[in-house]
Amino acid sequence: MNIGKFALNRRRLLVGAGAGALAAVATRPASAALRLEITQGNPQPMPIALPEFVAGSPTESEVARNVTSIISGNLQRSGLFAPINPAAFTEKITNSDTVPRFADWRVINAQALVTGRITKQPDGRLKAEFRLWDVFAGQQLDGKQYFTTSDNSRRIAHIISDAIYQTLTGEKGYFDSRIVFVDETGPKERRIKRLAIMDQDGVGTRYLTRGDDLVLTPRFNPSSQEITYMSYGQSDPRVYLLNIETGQREIVGNFPGMTFAPRFSADGQRIIMSLQQGANSNLFVMDLRSKQTTRLTDTPAIDTGPCYSPDGKFICFESDRGGSQQIYVMPATGGLAQRISFGEGNHSTPVWSPRGDFIAFTGQAKGQFSIGVLKPDGSGERLLTSGYHNEGPTFAPNGRVLMFFRDLGQGPSLFTIDITGRNELKIPTPSLASDPAWSPLLS
Amino acid sequence: MIEIGTILRGMRIAGVLGLALAISACANQVADSTTPGTSAAGAASPGSQQDFVVNVGDRVFFESDSTELTGTSRATLDKQAQWLTAHGQYRFTVEGHADERGTREYNIALGARRSQAARDYLISRGIQASRIKTISYGKERPVAVCNDISCWSQNRRAVTVLNAGS
């Protein structure tokens, strides 16, 4: 997939003939532009109207229907928007270049309106355009057009969703992203595990391994199409590197024992992981270019679950050096590690938010497994969801949503939850699924 | 205590079936084979893999989140060491396992510690380190599948697996 193909022609639409009319109806001052505050309180989902994108031919119509429905699904699942039932619409949008009859949309209490058009180009590519309107101010907030190959319409829909999200919330979206996870089939005592990848909405699953070897804990390289994971191959369990596009796979490093719990550094140039030697597991980092390895911890303990801060300066990890699994933070070069988790029970599987503001973790207390967050200084610990088994949070690229897996005893499934603790959703997968890892934004 | 004894016995028998049929036994078969009169112990010839599994015991169990060898575990490992000394042709792998009540990566490290504890004990009883390999499966390969304590306790284990062909 070539992002450049549709990024090249991405530009703001001119309002054109509608501009004069727009200026006339724009009564709200610019400072009061339609904006959803998502940082505080309990925001009411913003009512938004998404009439089906305009299309000519039956092929275009099918794409238009899919694109509109993907955008609507994305916005609804975010919990921040409430797409209005199209049955309530009174204006039929037949030309996305004309100014909508705002009164018709105000009547059904739509605060935002998205119109758009899909056209097949003579060269076979798709052109997708959209305009985002502030219904009550009667003005256009955003307008863009994209060109892409016809098999890329899902990504276009995700990119438009991100643009709408960003304009209306002021924060980057997370829809144009993917999830790598472990697909699980077969009975519990002989589970077959395969690496799989899908869009963040649970669509388009593709398998990356065949299930011959046990595979666990995949993670994305933040800067390319690569993942690292742990696999039980023919010999000892090892950390592997897999190129998603070429399928090329290699063992990371030449360590004298089992390596596990791999993660990329923020710049994608290094892999940090645990190496088991005797009864202990310690953290090592390997530079992928020089192949040089450096020991970061040296304790008679289990040090694992490492993660980098987004600025690359710190590492968080879990260790039982103090007697139970707790979260520690140390400089990226190693050195003094400070325990940051002091809430009830055990704290493990730390992941640092891409925004830098939170560390999410798996909590264990009173026989319950929770997903929680705390600040990197250890303050503000909150549990977002608790139950028989919740494990392994991973942050959306904008740090607003966590994905994790939950097993109520029938096998694991993937769920998302906002870092506010609201809007818990099950993500559909073809079979049982665990160990999700969220990619960065693709564009 | 009686119940646990029955379960252990059943698992050993299941191990025999697994070897004999060259398929891995599932938990339901484990439960079925606990009925009396199905013991295959009599058929195990001395020095065979079946002999080791049935008459010595191939596994030891651990308390929750613990890697400490209990008195029962040490007694089993004593018997293993005796048998392995008498049958020096075998190389073997000690597999460490954890129950499902832990996080994945920690359990991998915990399983490694358990296999290491069993290994170290066998070495202290005169077994050559070069005969022993260890591997941890964390919580990935349970033998008992249910969502309560009766299964978790069976899954927290270190299993001595004789290498086929050695």
Side-chain angles (χ1 to χ4, degrees), chain A residues 71-86:
Chain A
I71 296 169
S72 176
N74 280 337
L75 296 177
Q76 176 158 41
R77 277 195 320 281
S78 77
L80 302 175
F81 302 93
I84 296 167
N85 184 348

Side-chain angles (χ1 to χ4, degrees), chain A residues 219-228 241 252 263-272 285-291 308-312 440:
Chain A
R219 298 292 166 125
F220 276 101
N221 183 331
S223 57
S224 76
Q225 299 291 314
E226 244 177 359
I227 56 171
T228 183
L241 200 58
V252 176
R263 324 277 193 256
F264 283 97
S265 59
D267 63 5
Q269 299 302 320
R270 283 159 288 153
I271 288 181
I272 186 172
V285 65
M286 190 178 111
D287 188 296
L288 290 171
R289 282 179 297 194
S290 70
K291 308 288 180 195
Y308 279 94
S309 60
D311 63 7

Side-chain angles (χ1 to χ4, degrees), chain A residues 188-190 193 216-217 232 236 258 260-261 263 276 279 301-302 320 325 348 367 369 388-389 391 405 409 435, chain B residues 24 26-27 100-106 108-110 112-113 116 133 135-137 139-142 145 147 152:
Chain A
K188 196 170 177 179
E189 71 279 13
R190 279 175 293 146
K193 295 196 170 190
L216 305 169
T217 64
Y232 289 68
D236 290 332
M258 172 175 70
F260 61 107
R263 324 277 193 256
Q276 177 239 335
I302 292 173
D320 67 350
Q325 285 171 281
S348 57
F369 280 62
Y388 177 72
H389 198 99
E391 182 179 340
F405 71 91
D435 292 6
Chain B
S24 45
C26 86
E100 67 191 54
R101 304 309 285 154
T103 46
R104 193 175 317 287
E105 290 167 341
Y106 178 78
I108 287 169
L110 182 63
R113 264 191 189 162
Q116 207 66 30
K133 252 180 71 76
I135 189 168
S136 171
Y137 286 101
K139 60 177 172 177
E140 304 306 316
R141 288 290 178 260
V145 288
N147 302 313
W152 304 336

